[in-house]
Amino acid sequence: SLRSTYNIAAANMSLGRGSYNDQAVCDAVNAGVKAAIDNLRAVGIATVIASGNDGFWDGISGPGCISTGVAVGATTDSDVEADFSNFHPTLLDIYAPGVNILSSDGRSDLSYDGTRSGTSMATPHVTGAWAILKQADPGATVGTILSALQTTGDPVRGRYVALPRQRRIQIDLAMPGACCYANGSCSL
């Protein structure tokens, strides 16, 4: 209902519970939340959701497992999958930095003296990247932006799968008009 008042690119959900490794089961168990995510996606708004912090190697938490959401795992600064980050080879969509992130501590609006780790730290990175990419290309669909982030991001070294198909976001390469070459160099 607010999409006509505000230019909303994405909604952030840093929450989750359980472990899902089957897409159909996840969608069925979380049908009410999926309906809301589907409504957002239908009007071009992505729902970016933390994958969870249980260290699962074969499942991610709900609602991140929902097929129309964007499930985010966490990496270290060295592009290594964080040991706590939940992983599934097909349910996880993308990675972002999530270890030792300077974050607010809740004591005031200006208090940023603590670091936090978790997929709840990684998810806002993707939500913010989404807003930047949507601003650069207002007509881009959720699928277009997700594909741009997935295909241009940096490879991640995994804990269980040496090189998972999911990558860590790299906004500059995902920007519309970025020209990238096989050797990894790019120009905007």
Side-chain angles (χ1 to χ4, degrees), residues 19-113:
S19 177
Y20 296 87
N21 58 18
D22 182 281
Q23 190 70 75
V25 170
C26 171
D27 285 351
V29 169
N30 296 286
V33 177
K34 184 180 184 315
I37 291 170
D38 291 351
N39 287 339
L40 289 169
R41 191 171 181 133
V43 295
I45 300 171
T47 306
V48 184
I49 312 167
S51 68
N53 301 320
D54 304 293
F56 299 144
W57 60 272
D58 64 347
I60 65 174
S61 297
C65 57
I66 293 174
S67 59
T68 48
V70 178
V72 180
T75 66
T76 67
D77 286 344
S78 303
D79 289 335
V80 174
E81 180 185 26
D83 61 356
F84 55 78
S85 186
N86 290 350
F87 173 79
H88 186 274
T90 60
L91 300 181
L92 187 72
D93 293 303
I94 197 88
Y95 285 101
V99 175
N100 295 325
I101 304 300
L102 182 61
S103 180
S104 57
D105 63 13
R107 290 185 287 170
S108 77
D109 290 344
L110 301 173
S111 182
Y112 295 94
D113 63 352

Side-chain angles (χ1 to χ4, degrees), residues 129-185:
W130 213 282
I132 291 168
L133 294 172
K134 188 72 171 180
Q135 182 179 22
D137 185 0
T141 66
V142 171
T144 300
I145 292 175
L146 179 58
S147 179
L149 289 170
Q150 289 174 324
T151 58
T152 60
D154 283 345
V156 171
R157 289 187 310 277
R159 294 169 295 148
Y160 303 104
V161 176
L163 289 172
R165 69 169 178 80
Q166 299 87 348
R167 295 172 170 256
R168 195 249 316 138
I169 62 169
Q170 190 166 346
I171 300 170
D172 59 338
L173 301 184
M175 288 293 285
C179 182
C180 299
Y181 307 98
N183 69 2
S185 67

